[in-house]
Amino acid sequence: MLTDQQLQELKKQLHVMKEEAEKENHNHDGYVNEDEDQGNSVGELSNVNSHPGDLGTEKFEREKAYTLSEHAEEQLNEINAALERMEKGTYGYSEHSGKPIPFERLQAMPTARYLVEEQEESS
């Protein structure tokens, strides 16, 4: 069972992680905007005069930004779920077995939902 001090430490860590994930997600908003005309993103009025390498680079950058944004969004969901579990009083207990998750595991991975051995079984 986690002490109040341990819970506060983990809650602070989750809030820092949340800020970082929100910043990361915000940093990629410009590339991920699906409404934007992808052909004009390299600053040209038309794709006709653009070098194919420029278009390929732009496509790569868009895909990379999209992937990073998706990862940040997944992280935010996990962090928010962990904070919600804290509010409900179920944080720090395995969702599979109900056994307490060791503090050391939660320090390393504050969003952990399972014991290490349970996580390995589900992977």
Side-chain angles (χ1 to χ4, degrees), residues 3-26:
T3 67
D4 287 339
Q5 182 180 359
Q6 290 172 328
L7 274 173
Q8 289 305 314
E9 178 185 326
L10 292 166
K11 189 173 190 175
K12 185 185 289 187
Q13 190 175 351
L14 284 166
H15 281 292
V16 169
M17 289 171 61
K18 183 175 180 174
E19 280 183 33
E20 290 171 358
E22 287 171 343
K23 284 179 189 175
E24 185 69 26
N25 200 16
H26 180 70

Side-chain angles (χ1 to χ4, degrees), residues 70-88:
E70 284 291 308
H71 177 72
E73 193 64 36
E74 288 174 18
Q75 264 190 313
L76 277 172
N77 291 337
E78 286 294 316
I79 292 165
N80 288 330
L83 291 169
E84 188 176 309
R85 289 192 306 275
M86 278 186 173
E87 294 297 318
K88 290 180 179 179

Side-chain angles (χ1 to χ4, degrees), residues 4-72:
D4 287 339
Q5 182 180 359
Q6 290 172 328
L7 274 173
Q8 289 305 314
E9 178 185 326
L10 292 166
K11 189 173 190 175
K12 185 185 289 187
Q13 190 175 351
L14 284 166
H15 281 292
V16 169
M17 289 171 61
K18 183 175 180 174
E19 280 183 33
E20 290 171 358
E22 287 171 343
K23 284 179 189 175
E24 185 69 26
N25 200 16
H26 180 70
N27 286 342
H28 301 291
D29 282 349
Y31 273 109
V32 179
N33 185 356
E34 293 179 20
D35 296 332
E36 184 180 343
D37 180 8
Q38 291 186 13
N40 293 336
S41 60
V42 289
E44 300 290 334
L45 296 175
S46 166
N47 286 340
V48 176
N49 291 331
S50 294
H51 188 278
D54 292 340
L55 296 175
T57 298
E58 183 66 17
K59 182 177 180 185
F60 169 78
E61 290 298 324
R62 282 187 178 282
E63 290 173 2
K64 181 175 78 172
Y66 179 77
T67 300
L68 291 171
S69 180
E70 284 291 308
H71 177 72

